[in-house]
Amino acid sequence: MGIFLVCLGSRLPQAACHSSGHGEGGDQSFYRSFQLETLMSKKLCANCGQPFTPRPQARTQTYCSDPRCQQARRQDWLEAKLQSDPHYRENKARVQKAWQERNPDYWRKYREGNPEITYKNRDAQRPPIPLPPLLSGLYRIRAIPSDVAKTDAWIVEITPVCADCPCKDDACKDST
Protein backbone atom coordinates (compact mmCIF):
# COMPACT_ATOMS: atom_id res chain seq x y z
CA MET A 1 0.00 0.00 0.00
CA GLY A 2 1.52 3.29 -1.03
CA ILE A 3 0.82 6.94 -0.37
CA PHE A 4 0.75 9.42 -3.22
CA LEU A 5 2.03 12.91 -2.66
CA VAL A 6 1.52 15.89 -4.89
CA CYS A 7 4.57 18.12 -5.30
CA LEU A 8 3.39 21.68 -4.87
CA GLY A 9 5.94 24.41 -5.20
CA SER A 10 8.74 24.14 -2.67
CA ARG A 11 6.93 22.10 -0.01
CA LEU A 12 8.96 18.98 -0.86
CA PRO A 13 12.64 18.92 -1.67
CA GLN A 14 13.46 18.79 -5.38
CA ALA A 15 14.88 15.28 -5.05
CA ALA A 16 11.64 14.04 -3.51
CA CYS A 17 9.40 14.82 -6.45
CA HIS A 18 9.46 14.78 -10.19
CA SER A 19 8.56 17.99 -11.93
CA SER A 20 6.23 18.01 -14.88
CA GLY A 21 7.06 20.55 -17.54
CA HIS A 22 9.38 22.51 -15.24
CA GLY A 23 12.98 22.42 -16.40
CA GLU A 24 14.45 18.98 -16.95
CA GLY A 25 12.42 15.76 -16.87
CA GLY A 26 9.25 17.27 -18.28
CA ASP A 27 7.90 13.86 -19.26
CA GLN A 28 8.03 12.51 -15.71
CA SER A 29 4.93 12.10 -13.59
CA PHE A 30 3.69 14.91 -11.39
CA TYR A 31 2.91 12.37 -8.65
CA ARG A 32 5.47 10.32 -6.79
CA SER A 33 4.63 7.18 -4.85
CA PHE A 34 6.23 6.70 -1.48
CA GLN A 35 5.95 3.56 0.55
CA LEU A 36 4.41 3.99 3.99
CA GLU A 37 7.62 2.62 5.50
CA THR A 38 9.75 5.43 4.10
CA LEU A 39 7.47 8.13 5.51
CA MET A 40 7.46 6.73 9.04
CA SER A 41 10.61 6.99 11.06
CA LYS A 42 12.46 3.77 11.79
CA LYS A 43 13.22 2.86 15.39
CA LEU A 44 15.70 0.45 16.92
CA CYS A 45 14.21 -2.49 18.79
CA ALA A 46 14.87 -2.30 22.55
CA ASN A 47 15.64 -6.03 22.61
CA CYS A 48 17.49 -7.04 19.43
CA GLY A 49 18.67 -3.59 18.28
CA GLN A 50 17.43 -4.09 14.71
CA PRO A 51 15.63 -1.23 12.94
CA PHE A 52 11.87 -1.60 12.51
CA THR A 53 8.93 0.50 11.43
CA PRO A 54 6.46 1.01 14.29
CA ARG A 55 2.78 0.35 13.64
CA PRO A 56 0.83 3.57 13.03
CA GLN A 57 -1.63 2.57 15.77
CA ALA A 58 1.19 2.30 18.35
CA ARG A 59 3.45 5.31 17.91
CA THR A 60 5.35 4.60 21.14
CA GLN A 61 6.21 1.05 20.05
CA THR A 62 9.76 0.16 21.15
CA TYR A 63 9.98 -3.56 20.30
CA CYS A 64 9.86 -5.13 16.85
CA SER A 65 7.38 -7.88 15.96
CA ASP A 66 9.86 -10.77 16.30
CA PRO A 67 8.38 -13.34 18.73
CA ARG A 68 11.54 -13.32 20.87
CA CYS A 69 11.38 -9.54 21.18
CA GLN A 70 7.69 -9.65 22.03
CA GLN A 71 8.45 -12.22 24.75
CA ALA A 72 11.17 -9.90 26.10
CA ARG A 73 8.69 -7.00 26.04
CA ARG A 74 6.17 -8.96 28.09
CA GLN A 75 8.89 -10.09 30.52
CA ASP A 76 10.14 -6.51 30.96
CA TRP A 77 6.59 -5.32 31.60
CA LEU A 78 6.02 -8.06 34.17
CA GLU A 79 9.26 -7.30 36.03
CA ALA A 80 8.44 -3.59 36.14
CA LYS A 81 4.89 -4.28 37.27
CA LEU A 82 6.02 -6.65 40.04
CA GLN A 83 8.55 -4.10 41.25
CA SER A 84 6.26 -1.06 41.17
CA ASP A 85 2.83 -2.43 42.12
CA PRO A 86 2.56 -4.10 45.56
CA HIS A 87 -1.08 -5.11 44.98
CA TYR A 88 -0.20 -6.91 41.75
CA ARG A 89 2.71 -8.64 43.49
CA GLU A 90 0.52 -9.78 46.44
CA ASN A 91 -2.23 -11.01 44.12
CA LYS A 92 0.25 -12.97 42.00
CA ALA A 93 1.71 -14.64 45.11
CA ARG A 94 -1.80 -15.46 46.38
CA VAL A 95 -2.83 -16.99 43.04
CA GLN A 96 0.38 -19.05 42.81
CA LYS A 97 -0.09 -20.36 46.35
CA ALA A 98 -3.70 -21.34 45.61
CA TRP A 99 -2.60 -23.18 42.43
CA GLN A 100 0.13 -24.99 44.34
CA GLU A 101 -2.41 -26.11 46.97
CA ARG A 102 -4.73 -27.42 44.21
CA ASN A 103 -1.82 -29.25 42.47
CA PRO A 104 0.44 -30.57 45.24
CA ASP A 105 1.97 -33.40 43.15
CA TYR A 106 2.71 -31.37 40.02
CA TRP A 107 6.48 -31.00 40.48
CA ARG A 108 6.96 -34.62 41.62
CA LYS A 109 5.12 -35.87 38.51
CA TYR A 110 7.04 -33.43 36.31
CA ARG A 111 10.40 -34.70 37.61
CA GLU A 112 9.31 -38.31 37.12
CA GLY A 113 8.22 -37.58 33.55
CA ASN A 114 11.33 -35.55 32.63
CA PRO A 115 14.37 -37.26 34.18
CA GLU A 116 16.89 -35.71 31.74
CA ILE A 117 15.80 -32.20 32.61
CA THR A 118 15.74 -33.08 36.29
CA TYR A 119 19.34 -34.35 36.27
CA LYS A 120 20.54 -31.40 34.22
CA ASN A 121 18.88 -28.98 36.64
CA ARG A 122 20.31 -30.73 39.69
CA ASP A 123 23.81 -30.66 38.18
CA ALA A 124 23.46 -26.94 37.47
CA GLN A 125 22.44 -26.26 41.07
CA ARG A 126 25.36 -28.11 42.64
CA PRO A 127 28.02 -25.78 43.98
CA PRO A 128 31.30 -25.77 42.04
CA ILE A 129 34.32 -27.60 43.38
CA PRO A 130 36.05 -25.18 45.76
CA LEU A 131 39.51 -24.04 44.77
CA PRO A 132 42.29 -24.22 47.34
CA PRO A 133 42.89 -20.83 48.96
CA LEU A 134 45.90 -18.83 47.80
CA LEU A 135 48.51 -18.58 50.49
CA SER A 136 50.22 -15.29 51.12
CA GLY A 137 53.40 -14.93 49.12
CA LEU A 138 54.79 -13.82 45.79
CA TYR A 139 52.96 -14.84 42.61
CA ARG A 140 53.43 -14.27 38.90
CA ILE A 141 50.26 -13.40 36.99
CA ARG A 142 50.42 -13.99 33.24
CA ALA A 143 47.60 -13.25 30.81
CA ILE A 144 46.70 -16.20 28.61
CA PRO A 145 45.46 -15.39 25.09
CA SER A 146 41.94 -16.65 24.51
CA ASP A 147 39.00 -16.29 22.18
CA VAL A 148 36.72 -14.95 24.91
CA ALA A 149 34.30 -12.36 23.58
CA LYS A 150 34.30 -10.47 26.87
CA THR A 151 36.76 -7.61 26.47
CA ASP A 152 36.82 -6.46 30.07
CA ALA A 153 38.00 -9.81 31.47
CA TRP A 154 41.24 -11.76 31.19
CA ILE A 155 42.08 -15.40 31.66
CA VAL A 156 45.25 -15.52 33.72
CA GLU A 157 47.69 -18.08 35.02
CA ILE A 158 48.78 -17.61 38.63
CA THR A 159 52.01 -19.35 39.59
CA PRO A 160 53.86 -19.06 42.88
CA VAL A 161 57.37 -17.64 42.85
CA CYS A 162 59.67 -19.09 45.49
CA ALA A 163 61.55 -16.61 47.70
CA ASP A 164 65.03 -17.83 46.79
CA CYS A 165 64.33 -18.40 43.09
CA PRO A 166 66.36 -16.18 40.73
CA CYS A 167 63.41 -15.92 38.32
CA LYS A 168 61.52 -13.65 40.76
CA ASP A 169 63.97 -10.86 39.96
CA ASP A 170 63.02 -11.18 36.29
CA ALA A 171 59.27 -11.04 37.00
CA CYS A 172 59.01 -7.40 35.97
CA LYS A 173 60.89 -8.07 32.71
CA ASP A 174 58.00 -10.21 31.40
CA SER A 175 55.74 -7.18 31.19
CA THR A 176 58.25 -4.88 29.48
Side-chain angles (χ1 to χ4, degrees):
M1 177 172 153
I3 295 179
F4 293 91
L5 298 177
V6 178
C7 299
L8 299 173
S10 62
R11 291 188 183 196
L12 291 175
Q14 187 63 29
C17 64
H18 296 289
S19 59
S20 177
H22 303 289
E24 56 197 71
D27 58 341
Q28 295 179 347
S29 169
F30 185 72
Y31 298 100
R32 168 113 189 214
S33 172
F34 289 95
Q35 295 296 325
L36 182 60
E37 299 169 359
T38 60
L39 291 176
M40 296 186 66
S41 63
K42 296 255 183 196
K43 290 185 175 182
L44 295 180
C45 177
N47 185 55
C48 68
Q50 295 297 315
F52 73 96
T53 303
R55 294 181 54 83
Q57 298 88 349
R59 298 197 188 278
T60 61
Q61 181 180 350
T62 56
Y63 292 83
C64 69
S65 61
D66 185 87
R68 292 170 295 194
C69 297
Q70 289 300 306
Q71 180 64 34
R73 176 186 61 81
R74 288 188 290 272
Q75 185 65 37
D76 290 347
W77 178 88
L78 180 62
E79 289 173 5
K81 186 71 170 174
L82 286 171
Q83 191 173 21
S84 66
D85 189 348
H87 299 296
Y88 186 86
R89 188 171 47 245
E90 292 166 6
N91 185 51
K92 183 174 172 75
R94 189 174 50 252
V95 168
Q96 285 179 335
K97 185 176 181 182
W99 182 90
Q100 191 175 14
E101 290 171 356
R102 288 191 312 270
N103 302 285
D105 295 333
Y106 175 81
W107 288 113
R108 183 182 55 78
K109 291 177 182 177
Y110 178 82
R111 286 189 294 271
E112 288 172 358
N114 299 287
E116 307 86 26
I117 295 173
T118 302
Y119 293 130
K120 182 179 176 185
N121 187 35
R122 285 184 182 160
D123 287 341
Q125 291 181 23
R126 286 195 178 103
I129 299 170
L131 296 173
L134 289 176
L135 302 174
S136 63
L138 186 60
Y139 292 89
R140 178 175 294 158
I141 299 176
R142 183 176 65 92
I144 298 174
S146 67
D147 295 331
V148 177
K150 203 169 167 75
T151 59
D152 62 345
W154 289 357
I155 297 178
V156 297
E157 176 184 52
I158 301 174
T159 54
V161 178
C162 39
D164 57 344
C165 182
C167 66
K168 75 172 183 161
D169 297 330
D170 297 334
C172 65
K173 291 183 182 175
D174 288 345
S175 64
T176 57

PDB file of all heavy atoms in Angstrom, residues 50-73:
ATOM      1  N   GLN A  50      17.644  -4.203  16.152  1.00  0.00           N
ATOM      2  CA  GLN A  50      17.431  -4.091  14.715  1.00  0.00           C
ATOM      3  C   GLN A  50      16.425  -2.971  14.421  1.00  0.00           C
ATOM      4  O   GLN A  50      15.497  -2.738  15.198  1.00  0.00           O
ATOM      5  CB  GLN A  50      16.890  -5.413  14.150  1.00  0.00           C
ATOM      6  CG  GLN A  50      17.856  -6.562  14.260  1.00  0.00           C
ATOM      7  CD  GLN A  50      19.109  -6.313  13.437  1.00  0.00           C
ATOM      8  OE1 GLN A  50      19.047  -5.873  12.296  1.00  0.00           O
ATOM      9  NE2 GLN A  50      20.254  -6.575  14.042  1.00  0.00           N
ATOM     10  N   PRO A  51      16.593  -2.279  13.284  1.00  0.00           N
ATOM     11  CA  PRO A  51      15.625  -1.231  12.940  1.00  0.00           C
ATOM     12  C   PRO A  51      14.281  -1.844  12.542  1.00  0.00           C
ATOM     13  O   PRO A  51      14.236  -2.917  11.951  1.00  0.00           O
ATOM     14  CB  PRO A  51      16.280  -0.514  11.762  1.00  0.00           C
ATOM     15  CG  PRO A  51      17.284  -1.458  11.222  1.00  0.00           C
ATOM     16  CD  PRO A  51      17.686  -2.371  12.322  1.00  0.00           C
ATOM     17  N   PHE A  52      13.200  -1.157  12.895  1.00  0.00           N
ATOM     18  CA  PHE A  52      11.865  -1.601  12.510  1.00  0.00           C
ATOM     19  C   PHE A  52      10.979  -0.379  12.346  1.00  0.00           C
ATOM     20  O   PHE A  52      11.288   0.703  12.834  1.00  0.00           O
ATOM     21  CB  PHE A  52      11.275  -2.557  13.561  1.00  0.00           C
ATOM     22  CG  PHE A  52      10.855  -1.888  14.833  1.00  0.00           C
ATOM     23  CD1 PHE A  52       9.539  -1.514  15.038  1.00  0.00           C
ATOM     24  CD2 PHE A  52      11.784  -1.618  15.826  1.00  0.00           C
ATOM     25  CE1 PHE A  52       9.161  -0.882  16.214  1.00  0.00           C
ATOM     26  CE2 PHE A  52      11.408  -0.995  16.999  1.00  0.00           C
ATOM     27  CZ  PHE A  52      10.095  -0.624  17.194  1.00  0.00           C
ATOM     28  N   THR A  53       9.896  -0.562  11.623  1.00  0.00           N
ATOM     29  CA  THR A  53       8.927   0.500  11.434  1.00  0.00           C
ATOM     30  C   THR A  53       7.785   0.271  12.413  1.00  0.00           C
ATOM     31  O   THR A  53       7.137  -0.773  12.371  1.00  0.00           O
ATOM     32  CB  THR A  53       8.380   0.487   9.994  1.00  0.00           C
ATOM     33  OG1 THR A  53       9.481   0.607   9.102  1.00  0.00           O
ATOM     34  CG2 THR A  53       7.406   1.618   9.777  1.00  0.00           C
ATOM     35  N   PRO A  54       7.545   1.206  13.334  1.00  0.00           N
ATOM     36  CA  PRO A  54       6.455   1.008  14.295  1.00  0.00           C
ATOM     37  C   PRO A  54       5.099   1.040  13.609  1.00  0.00           C
ATOM     38  O   PRO A  54       4.928   1.690  12.577  1.00  0.00           O
ATOM     39  CB  PRO A  54       6.612   2.171  15.263  1.00  0.00           C
ATOM     40  CG  PRO A  54       7.436   3.174  14.570  1.00  0.00           C
ATOM     41  CD  PRO A  54       8.247   2.451  13.537  1.00  0.00           C
ATOM     42  N   ARG A  55       4.149   0.339  14.177  1.00  0.00           N
ATOM     43  CA  ARG A  55       2.784   0.354  13.640  1.00  0.00           C
ATOM     44  C   ARG A  55       2.191   1.744  13.834  1.00  0.00           C
ATOM     45  O   ARG A  55       2.432   2.380  14.861  1.00  0.00           O
ATOM     46  CB  ARG A  55       1.937  -0.698  14.345  1.00  0.00           C
ATOM     47  CG  ARG A  55       2.381  -2.118  14.054  1.00  0.00           C
ATOM     48  CD  ARG A  55       1.503  -3.130  14.763  1.00  0.00           C
ATOM     49  NE  ARG A  55       0.089  -2.961  14.493  1.00  0.00           N
ATOM     50  CZ  ARG A  55      -0.547  -3.445  13.421  1.00  0.00           C
ATOM     51  NH1 ARG A  55       0.131  -4.138  12.530  1.00  0.00           N
ATOM     52  NH2 ARG A  55      -1.831  -3.246  13.260  1.00  0.00           N
ATOM     53  N   PRO A  56       1.421   2.223  12.896  1.00  0.00           N
ATOM     54  CA  PRO A  56       0.832   3.566  13.034  1.00  0.00           C
ATOM     55  C   PRO A  56      -0.104   3.668  14.242  1.00  0.00           C
ATOM     56  O   PRO A  56      -0.271   4.732  14.811  1.00  0.00           O
ATOM     57  CB  PRO A  56       0.054   3.770  11.741  1.00  0.00           C
ATOM     58  CG  PRO A  56       0.388   2.649  10.843  1.00  0.00           C
ATOM     59  CD  PRO A  56       1.100   1.607  11.618  1.00  0.00           C
ATOM     60  N   GLN A  57      -0.719   2.556  14.639  1.00  0.00           N
ATOM     61  CA  GLN A  57      -1.634   2.571  15.774  1.00  0.00           C
ATOM     62  C   GLN A  57      -0.892   2.645  17.106  1.00  0.00           C
ATOM     63  O   GLN A  57      -1.486   2.936  18.130  1.00  0.00           O
ATOM     64  CB  GLN A  57      -2.505   1.302  15.772  1.00  0.00           C
ATOM     65  CG  GLN A  57      -3.385   1.161  14.560  1.00  0.00           C
ATOM     66  CD  GLN A  57      -2.676   0.447  13.401  1.00  0.00           C
ATOM     67  OE1 GLN A  57      -1.482   0.238  13.416  1.00  0.00           O
ATOM     68  NE2 GLN A  57      -3.457   0.116  12.387  1.00  0.00           N
ATOM     69  N   ALA A  58       0.403   2.308  17.112  1.00  0.00           N
ATOM     70  CA  ALA A  58       1.191   2.295  18.349  1.00  0.00           C
ATOM     71  C   ALA A  58       2.453   3.118  18.137  1.00  0.00           C
ATOM     72  O   ALA A  58       3.537   2.595  17.916  1.00  0.00           O
ATOM     73  CB  ALA A  58       1.534   0.859  18.737  1.00  0.00           C
ATOM     74  N   ARG A  59       2.330   4.416  18.217  1.00  0.00           N
ATOM     75  CA  ARG A  59       3.452   5.310  17.906  1.00  0.00           C
ATOM     76  C   ARG A  59       4.588   5.207  18.925  1.00  0.00           C
ATOM     77  O   ARG A  59       5.712   5.561  18.629  1.00  0.00           O
ATOM     78  CB  ARG A  59       2.964   6.742  17.807  1.00  0.00           C
ATOM     79  CG  ARG A  59       1.950   6.920  16.692  1.00  0.00           C
ATOM     80  CD  ARG A  59       1.773   8.368  16.330  1.00  0.00           C
ATOM     81  NE  ARG A  59       0.674   8.554  15.410  1.00  0.00           N
ATOM     82  CZ  ARG A  59       0.761   8.384  14.114  1.00  0.00           C
ATOM     83  NH1 ARG A  59       1.891   7.999  13.588  1.00  0.00           N
ATOM     84  NH2 ARG A  59      -0.279   8.586  13.336  1.00  0.00           N
ATOM     85  N   THR A  60       4.304   4.735  20.131  1.00  0.00           N
ATOM     86  CA  THR A  60       5.349   4.599  21.143  1.00  0.00           C
ATOM     87  C   THR A  60       5.959   3.199  21.162  1.00  0.00           C
ATOM     88  O   THR A  60       6.655   2.842  22.109  1.00  0.00           O
ATOM     89  CB  THR A  60       4.792   4.925  22.542  1.00  0.00           C
ATOM     90  OG1 THR A  60       3.740   4.005  22.835  1.00  0.00           O
ATOM     91  CG2 THR A  60       4.298   6.358  22.619  1.00  0.00           C
ATOM     92  N   GLN A  61       5.699   2.414  20.130  1.00  0.00           N
ATOM     93  CA  GLN A  61       6.212   1.045  20.054  1.00  0.00           C
ATOM     94  C   GLN A  61       7.741   1.044  20.124  1.00  0.00           C
ATOM     95  O   GLN A  61       8.405   1.788  19.413  1.00  0.00           O
ATOM     96  CB  GLN A  61       5.743   0.405  18.741  1.00  0.00           C
ATOM     97  CG  GLN A  61       6.179  -1.008  18.546  1.00  0.00           C
ATOM     98  CD  GLN A  61       5.674  -1.573  17.224  1.00  0.00           C
ATOM     99  OE1 GLN A  61       4.862  -0.971  16.540  1.00  0.00           O
ATOM    100  NE2 GLN A  61       6.175  -2.736  16.872  1.00  0.00           N
ATOM    101  N   THR A  62       8.309   0.212  20.995  1.00  0.00           N
ATOM    102  CA  THR A  62       9.764   0.163  21.150  1.00  0.00           C
ATOM    103  C   THR A  62      10.352  -1.206  20.846  1.00  0.00           C
ATOM    104  O   THR A  62      11.572  -1.356  20.842  1.00  0.00           O
ATOM    105  CB  THR A  62      10.176   0.574  22.575  1.00  0.00           C
ATOM    106  OG1 THR A  62       9.499  -0.255  23.509  1.00  0.00           O
ATOM    107  CG2 THR A  62       9.848   2.037  22.839  1.00  0.00           C
ATOM    108  N   TYR A  63       9.520  -2.212  20.626  1.00  0.00           N
ATOM    109  CA  TYR A  63       9.983  -3.562  20.304  1.00  0.00           C
ATOM    110  C   TYR A  63       9.472  -3.951  18.923  1.00  0.00           C
ATOM    111  O   TYR A  63       8.341  -3.621  18.569  1.00  0.00           O
ATOM    112  CB  TYR A  63       9.454  -4.579  21.326  1.00  0.00           C
ATOM    113  CG  TYR A  63      10.041  -4.432  22.706  1.00  0.00           C
ATOM    114  CD1 TYR A  63       9.538  -3.505  23.604  1.00  0.00           C
ATOM    115  CD2 TYR A  63      11.101  -5.228  23.112  1.00  0.00           C
ATOM    116  CE1 TYR A  63      10.068  -3.378  24.870  1.00  0.00           C
ATOM    117  CE2 TYR A  63      11.640  -5.101  24.376  1.00  0.00           C
ATOM    118  CZ  TYR A  63      11.125  -4.176  25.249  1.00  0.00           C
ATOM    119  OH  TYR A  63      11.665  -4.056  26.500  1.00  0.00           O
ATOM    120  N   CYS A  64      10.296  -4.667  18.166  1.00  0.00           N
ATOM    121  CA  CYS A  64       9.860  -5.125  16.848  1.00  0.00           C
ATOM    122  C   CYS A  64       8.892  -6.294  17.008  1.00  0.00           C
ATOM    123  O   CYS A  64       8.618  -6.746  18.121  1.00  0.00           O
ATOM    124  CB  CYS A  64      11.064  -5.514  15.981  1.00  0.00           C
ATOM    125  SG  CYS A  64      11.936  -6.995  16.518  1.00  0.00           S
ATOM    126  N   SER A  65       8.401  -6.834  15.906  1.00  0.00           N
ATOM    127  CA  SER A  65       7.382  -7.881  15.963  1.00  0.00           C
ATOM    128  C   SER A  65       7.953  -9.288  16.068  1.00  0.00           C
ATOM    129  O   SER A  65       7.187 -10.247  16.083  1.00  0.00           O
ATOM    130  CB  SER A  65       6.478  -7.775  14.730  1.00  0.00           C
ATOM    131  OG  SER A  65       7.265  -7.957  13.567  1.00  0.00           O
ATOM    132  N   ASP A  66       9.265  -9.440  16.147  1.00  0.00           N
ATOM    133  CA  ASP A  66       9.863 -10.769  16.298  1.00  0.00           C
ATOM    134  C   ASP A  66       9.327 -11.413  17.582  1.00  0.00           C
ATOM    135  O   ASP A  66       9.259 -10.742  18.618  1.00  0.00           O
ATOM    136  CB  ASP A  66      11.386 -10.637  16.365  1.00  0.00           C
ATOM    137  CG  ASP A  66      12.062 -11.992  16.402  1.00  0.00           C
ATOM    138  OD1 ASP A  66      12.322 -12.556  15.336  1.00  0.00           O
ATOM    139  OD2 ASP A  66      12.324 -12.475  17.530  1.00  0.00           O
ATOM    140  N   PRO A  67       8.947 -12.687  17.535  1.00  0.00           N
ATOM    141  CA  PRO A  67       8.383 -13.335  18.732  1.00  0.00           C
ATOM    142  C   PRO A  67       9.307 -13.282  19.948  1.00  0.00           C
ATOM    143  O   PRO A  67       8.830 -13.117  21.079  1.00  0.00           O
ATOM    144  CB  PRO A  67       8.149 -14.778  18.283  1.00  0.00           C
ATOM    145  CG  PRO A  67       7.993 -14.702  16.806  1.00  0.00           C
ATOM    146  CD  PRO A  67       8.871 -13.569  16.371  1.00  0.00           C
ATOM    147  N   ARG A  68      10.606 -13.390  19.731  1.00  0.00           N
ATOM    148  CA  ARG A  68      11.538 -13.316  20.873  1.00  0.00           C
ATOM    149  C   ARG A  68      11.529 -11.920  21.494  1.00  0.00           C
ATOM    150  O   ARG A  68      11.610 -11.768  22.716  1.00  0.00           O
ATOM    151  CB  ARG A  68      12.940 -13.697  20.434  1.00  0.00           C
ATOM    152  CG  ARG A  68      13.069 -15.172  20.066  1.00  0.00           C
ATOM    153  CD  ARG A  68      14.377 -15.426  19.429  1.00  0.00           C
ATOM    154  NE  ARG A  68      14.392 -14.685  18.158  1.00  0.00           N
ATOM    155  CZ  ARG A  68      15.263 -14.865  17.197  1.00  0.00           C
ATOM    156  NH1 ARG A  68      16.233 -15.707  17.339  1.00  0.00           N
ATOM    157  NH2 ARG A  68      15.189 -14.177  16.085  1.00  0.00           N
ATOM    158  N   CYS A  69      11.417 -10.908  20.678  1.00  0.00           N
ATOM    159  CA  CYS A  69      11.381  -9.536  21.178  1.00  0.00           C
ATOM    160  C   CYS A  69      10.059  -9.258  21.890  1.00  0.00           C
ATOM    161  O   CYS A  69      10.029  -8.546  22.893  1.00  0.00           O
ATOM    162  CB  CYS A  69      11.607  -8.549  20.046  1.00  0.00           C
ATOM    163  SG  CYS A  69      13.242  -8.721  19.295  1.00  0.00           S
ATOM    164  N   GLN A  70       8.971  -9.817  21.368  1.00  0.00           N
ATOM    165  CA  GLN A  70       7.688  -9.653  22.034  1.00  0.00           C
ATOM    166  C   GLN A  70       7.684 -10.353  23.388  1.00  0.00           C
ATOM    167  O   GLN A  70       7.140  -9.846  24.362  1.00  0.00           O
ATOM    168  CB  GLN A  70       6.544 -10.173  21.152  1.00  0.00           C
ATOM    169  CG  GLN A  70       6.275  -9.301  19.942  1.00  0.00           C
ATOM    170  CD  GLN A  70       5.890  -7.894  20.352  1.00  0.00           C
ATOM    171  OE1 GLN A  70       4.969  -7.695  21.140  1.00  0.00           O
ATOM    172  NE2 GLN A  70       6.597  -6.903  19.825  1.00  0.00           N
ATOM    173  N   GLN A  71       8.326 -11.522  23.472  1.00  0.00           N
ATOM    174  CA  GLN A  71       8.449 -12.217  24.753  1.00  0.00           C
ATOM    175  C   GLN A  71       9.262 -11.368  25.736  1.00  0.00           C
ATOM    176  O   GLN A  71       8.918 -11.258  26.913  1.00  0.00           O
ATOM    177  CB  GLN A  71       9.101 -13.587  24.556  1.00  0.00           C
ATOM    178  CG  GLN A  71       9.281 -14.375  25.829  1.00  0.00           C
ATOM    179  CD  GLN A  71       7.967 -14.744  26.487  1.00  0.00           C
ATOM    180  OE1 GLN A  71       6.974 -14.984  25.819  1.00  0.00           O
ATOM    181  NE2 GLN A  71       7.948 -14.765  27.800  1.00  0.00           N
ATOM    182  N   ALA A  72      10.347 -10.774  25.256  1.00  0.00           N
ATOM    183  CA  ALA A  72      11.166  -9.902  26.102  1.00  0.00           C
ATOM    184  C   ALA A  72      10.368  -8.684  26.561  1.00  0.00           C
ATOM    185  O   ALA A  72      10.494  -8.243  27.712  1.00  0.00           O
ATOM    186  CB  ALA A  72      12.418  -9.455  25.352  1.00  0.00           C
ATOM    187  N   ARG A  73       9.530  -8.146  25.683  1.00  0.00           N
ATOM    188  CA  ARG A  73       8.690  -6.999  26.045  1.00  0.00           C
ATOM    189  C   ARG A  73       7.741  -7.375  27.182  1.00  0.00           C
ATOM    190  O   ARG A  73       7.604  -6.638  28.167  1.00  0.00           O
ATOM    191  CB  ARG A  73       7.886  -6.523  24.831  1.00  0.00           C
ATOM    192  CG  ARG A  73       6.918  -5.388  25.138  1.00  0.00           C
ATOM    193  CD  ARG A  73       6.043  -5.043  23.933  1.00  0.00           C
ATOM    194  NE  ARG A  73       5.218  -6.144  23.492  1.00  0.00           N
ATOM    195  CZ  ARG A  73       4.050  -6.494  24.055  1.00  0.00           C
ATOM    196  NH1 ARG A  73       3.587  -5.820  25.088  1.00  0.00           N
ATOM    197  NH2 ARG A  73       3.354  -7.498  23.579  1.00  0.00           N
TER     198      ARG A  73
END
